[in-house]
Amino acid sequence: MDKNMQSELVLLQTQTEDLFADFKNQYDHMKRFTSDTRKQYKKIEDEEASVQDIYSTYKVKLDIGGNYFSTSVQTLTKFPDSMFGAMFSGRYEIEYDDDSCVFIDRDGTHFRYILNFLRDGHIDLPQDPQIHLELLREAEYYQINPLVKYLRSGELSCTNKINARPKYSFNNGLTEFNFSTYGTWSTMKGSVLVTGAHIWTIKIKKFEQIGDNGIEIGVCQQSVPGNRNLSYQYKGWGYIASGSKSDGGAVVPYGEPYGLGDQITVYLDLDNGILSFAKNGDHQGVAFNDVTGPVCIAVSSSAKICSLGILPDEYGMN
């Protein structure tokens, strides 16, 4: 090997060693930087968690339509997908009034029930369907879905359920009625309702169907004849077994079909004209918003055999 080649090899070796040393220095620097970054990130995470812990216990004063309440962020954000969960998530700027209160333009009459549910996951309500309906509307506004489901399910902590008799009945005080109409409609009417909020449940005890519909549950005017269905000639509002609804006009899709063994709960708010239904505790949504009193509770059937009963009131009211 000549001297020139030997010199070039020595130079190449020296350059390679320098490059390797430089790479190692950069690798060590990157390793230290990564380690420092992880430590800083962990520190930031810990600080954020600490701030969140402090924030969650932060006292909040609420002005709900002139009613004042004090609670914590932790309580209000129990359900992150609720209105309060979003409001106090830190993503939005919250406006406070001169008294350091957060003002919400709602009726605060029943807000204590909502607050107790957020605190305990449970509430005890008075035996008053009007309060239940009003509270349901508030729970829907605040988007507290577990409370909405709870209120719609009938799992309320009310007493006197055992041996309770229905508050509502069919004509002549009957709580059960048997149809044998073989394809022609027949209607049984009952308690007359003029104003206020009302809730009752009908159970389908026997049902041998003829045709697609077979049963209609709802309310109607007293003038509806007994040999027609309850929504005859725009004089009633009903939920049909096929899952449709009718107010005497077109029969349109509404909820789930129902049949033998099912329980249909009727929610009627005559002060606001709202009629809705639930099937086995699963709310089907608002069916009508134009109901006017006086009306009677009513059931209709065109089935071969049909037995419908009004269950003891779920709120234990006699």
Side-chain angles (χ1 to χ4, degrees):
M1 180 181 299
D2 59 34
K3 291 183 179 181
N4 289 336
M5 184 174 291
Q6 187 175 6
S7 297
E8 288 178 0
L9 287 174
V10 171
L11 179 60
L12 182 60
Q13 182 177 358
T14 301
Q15 291 175 339
T16 302
E17 291 174 351
D18 291 343
L19 285 172
F20 180 77
D22 184 57
F23 174 78
K24 187 175 183 304
N25 288 335
Q26 292 198 33
Y27 173 78
D28 290 341
H29 175 73
M30 183 63 69
K31 189 175 180 180
R32 288 192 300 272
F33 176 78
T34 301
S35 177
D36 292 343
T37 301
R38 285 175 177 168
K39 290 178 182 178
Q40 289 294 328
Y41 183 73
K42 181 65 168 58
K43 183 179 179 181
I44 292 171
E45 278 190 327
D46 292 343
E47 289 176 350
E48 286 182 345
S50 177
V51 169
Q52 188 62 37
D53 288 342
I54 295 172
Y55 180 63
S56 67
T57 59
Y58 181 76
K59 181 179 177 181
V60 178
K61 292 191 293 183
L62 300 173
D63 176 358
I64 313 293
N67 294 269
Y68 293 89
F69 303 87
S70 294
T71 185
S72 67
V73 171
Q74 185 177 27
T75 295
L76 290 175
T77 57
K78 182 173 184 177
F79 301 106
D81 58 347
S82 69
M83 189 188 87
F84 289 122
M87 181 183 297
F88 291 94
S89 65
R91 301 193 302 269
Y92 306 100
E93 183 177 351
I94 300 174
E95 294 185 6
Y96 296 89
D97 62 19
D98 295 338
D99 297 321
S100 300
C101 290
V102 178
F103 175 72
I104 298 177
D105 191 13
R106 298 292 292 182
D107 186 348
T109 304
H110 306 312
F111 189 75
R112 64 188 181 92
Y113 296 119
I114 291 176
L115 205 51
N116 286 336
F117 183 82
L118 293 176
R119 289 168 175 154
D120 307 325
H122 187 77
I123 49 176
D124 294 298
L125 292 175
Q127 298 174 5
D128 186 341
Q130 180 68 38
I131 292 178
H132 298 174
L133 288 174
E134 291 174 357
L135 184 57
L136 176 59
R137 285 197 291 269
E138 294 305 298
E140 289 173 335
Y141 174 80
Y142 293 116
Q143 301 172 38
I144 306 174
N145 294 327
L147 179 55
V148 172
K149 183 177 180 181
Y150 182 72
L151 290 168
R152 288 173 175 171
S153 70
E155 297 173 359
L156 299 170
S157 297
C158 295
T159 58
N160 302 323
K161 289 186 178 181
I162 299 176
N163 297 324
R165 286 190 56 77
K167 178 182 178 182
Y168 307 95
S169 65
F170 298 126
N171 286 344
N172 301 317
L174 297 175
T175 58
E176 185 171 335
F177 189 78
N178 298 311
F179 293 91
S180 296
T181 51
Y182 292 85
T184 60
W185 281 106
S186 179
T187 293
M188 167 55 74
K189 290 169 283 187
S191 302
V192 178
L193 313 173
V194 181
T195 61
H198 306 271
I199 304 174
W200 65 95
T201 298
I202 303 291
K203 182 169 183 177
I204 295 89
K205 297 185 175 183
K206 295 179 183 178
F207 186 36
E208 291 186 24
Q209 188 172 359
I210 295 177
D212 295 331
N213 298 320
I215 301 174
E216 186 174 15
I217 295 172
V219 296
C220 70
Q221 297 176 9
Q222 296 189 61
S223 58
V224 170
N227 61 348
R228 301 287 185 176
N229 62 307
L230 66 87
S231 58
Y232 174 70
Q233 289 189 342
Y234 301 94
K235 296 179 179 179
W237 300 261
Y239 176 22
I240 302 171
S242 62
S244 302
K245 65 178 182 178
S246 176
D247 60 358
V251 175
V252 297
Y254 167 59
E256 297 179 4
Y258 61 86
L260 180 63
D262 288 329
Q263 297 182 16
I264 304 301
T265 300
V266 186
Y267 301 85
L268 175 63
D269 180 359
L270 281 170
D271 294 336
N272 293 284
I274 297 172
L275 178 63
S276 59
F277 301 88
K279 172 189 172 183
N280 301 327
D282 185 10
H283 201 268
Q284 304 296 296
V286 173
F288 306 100
N289 57 14
D290 60 348
V291 181
T292 55
V295 293
C296 1
I297 69 169
V299 291
S300 302
S301 176
S302 63
K304 179 179 180 181
I305 296 176
C306 181
S307 178
L308 303 175
I310 302 179
L311 296 183
D313 187 79
E314 63 181 307
Y315 302 104
M317 302 175 67
N318 293 298

